[in-house]
Amino acid sequence: MFSEVTEYIETNKAELTSVWMDKMKEEADDKFLQVISDQVFTKTSHEFVEMIASRLRDSKEFNNRLEEFAEKVVRLGWPLTFVTSALNVFGKVVYQGMESAGFITEENYQQQINKFDRWLSPMTNKVIQAYTESWEKTVSLQKIALQELSAPLIPVFEKISVMPLVGTIDTERARQIMENLLHGVVKHRAEVVLIDITGVPVVDTMVAHHIIQAADAVRLVGAKCMLVGIRPEIAQTIVNLGIDLTQFMTNSTLRKGIEKALEMTSRKIVSAEGLE
């Protein structure tokens, strides 16, 4: 069905790719072109044309190329609008080339238009689907990574771990804090865990409730919890709200908290002055 189109693309691939790249550079946003080198753009463009050509040769080859290409352009930051526009532009470049070469005439142009539509439309749908799936997968992985980084449990000494919290704490993040705390306490065999809220801008009733729940969970797995990084304004807010934090230890700074944690684990910091 597509033998003429296939042969024309294979025979004139280099020229078609060059013309297509020039047209896409004209359409692309300047910011988009600034973040990608000419070498990468050229290499990716040739891969793009190869993928399109493979659609005419073999469906299995096309599917394999499409999956790899979708993952690559998502990593490169190519917007979906640019990718779909690229398909349309390439179709026009091929059509105009075949028209100039005499393959498309007044007698057969309607037939050729239908043929191009049967080639490009299904392929466009497949490209959009593959791009969307790759994008969703990438976003999902990034979300997981951010969640893990948003509440890390860091072992600082044997039996002592610190969880520094930065930013607001909502219900979803509180769940992540709880999971990371329990998993980390067991993994690092921590006996004392310091939750550092220096970077938490607001401590309201909900945030305090989440912290208290986390402390209770830590106690259930055999460790002690200490809240550190309580700034004067945060202390005042806690008192004004009537929040009861008496069930676990508190300290104003992480340094004081670590010193106390060392004492709790039968250790202390000593000065090395004068020692050789």
Side-chain angles (χ1 to χ4, degrees):
M1 181 186 294
F2 303 116
S3 56
E4 282 187 356
V5 180
T6 305
E7 184 178 349
Y8 180 79
I9 292 176
E10 293 293 347
T11 304
N12 302 276
K13 191 180 296 180
E15 182 182 351
L16 290 171
T17 304
S18 179
V19 173
W20 173 81
M21 285 175 57
D22 290 340
K23 289 184 177 293
M24 290 311 300
K25 285 182 178 179
E26 292 174 4
E27 291 195 8
D29 186 89
D30 289 339
K31 292 180 180 179
F32 170 72
L33 293 175
Q34 287 172 1
V35 298
I36 183 171
S37 66
D38 287 338
Q39 183 180 3
V40 172
F41 183 76
T42 300
K43 185 176 184 296
T44 308
S45 296
H46 280 280
E47 291 174 1
F48 182 72
V49 173
E50 272 295 336
M51 179 193 72
I52 295 175
S54 69
R55 177 71 175 85
L56 298 166
R57 296 192 302 264
D58 182 88
S59 295
K60 185 176 181 181
E61 179 188 357
F62 169 72
N63 291 333
N64 292 335
R65 285 181 179 271
L66 176 58
E67 185 177 349
E68 294 176 1
F69 183 80
E71 291 178 359
K72 181 172 184 176
V73 294
V74 167
R75 288 198 307 271
L76 290 174
W78 285 27
L80 181 57
T81 51
F82 183 83
V83 176
T84 53
S85 174
L87 284 168
N88 292 331
V89 171
F90 187 77
K92 290 177 182 178
V93 169
V94 174
Y95 186 89
Q96 291 168 357
M98 292 184 68
E99 189 176 34
S100 299
F103 290 102
I104 299 175
T105 63
E106 291 184 4
E107 289 76 19
N108 70 359
Y109 84 95
Q110 188 61 53
Q111 180 184 359
Q112 294 290 2
I113 287 176
N114 292 337
K115 186 181 295 184
F116 267 72
D117 184 61
R118 290 195 299 273
W119 165 43
L120 290 171
S121 294
M123 181 169 58
T124 301
N125 292 336
K126 282 183 172 290
V127 170
I128 292 174
Q129 181 182 357
Y131 183 98
T132 303
E133 289 175 355
S134 182
W135 174 261
E136 290 175 349
K137 179 182 177 182
T138 300
V139 171
S140 178
L141 292 173
Q142 289 176 343
K143 183 179 180 180
I144 292 171
L146 285 172
Q147 286 176 340
E148 291 175 351
L149 290 171
S150 69
L153 188 67
I154 306 168
V156 290
F157 291 103
E158 184 183 0
K159 302 179 182 179
I160 300 174
S161 295
V162 175
M163 175 173 280
L165 300 178
V166 178
T168 57
I169 300 174
D170 55 17
T171 303
E172 176 62 25
R173 192 174 178 205
R175 182 190 61 78
Q176 189 68 39
I177 290 171
M178 184 83 75
E179 289 181 4
N180 288 4
L181 265 175
L182 296 177
H183 177 74
V185 166
V186 175
K187 178 182 178 181
H188 302 305
R189 298 181 180 178
E191 293 183 6
V192 182
V193 176
L194 292 85
I195 300 179
D196 185 3
I197 61 169
T198 304
V200 178
V202 177
V203 175
D204 55 17
T205 305
M206 185 189 72
V207 171
H209 174 68
H210 290 318
I211 292 174
I212 291 170
Q213 279 190 322
D216 288 340
V218 168
R219 280 199 294 270
L220 290 176
V221 293
K224 297 177 181 179
C225 191
M226 185 187 305
L227 187 65
V228 301
I230 302 177
R231 306 185 303 279
E233 62 271 22
I234 296 296
Q236 186 175 0
T237 300
I238 290 173
V239 171
N240 290 339
L241 291 174
I243 299 169
D244 183 14
L245 297 179
T246 57
Q247 60 267 52
F248 58 95
M249 296 167 289
T250 60
N251 260 299
S252 58
T253 65
L254 177 60
R255 178 178 177 177
K256 290 181 180 179
I258 289 177
E259 289 176 352
K260 181 63 177 177
L262 287 170
E263 290 179 12
M264 293 167 63
T265 54
S266 304
R267 290 170 292 178
K268 64 179 180 178
I269 298 175
V270 296
S271 173
E273 186 178 350
L275 295 179
E276 297 294 337

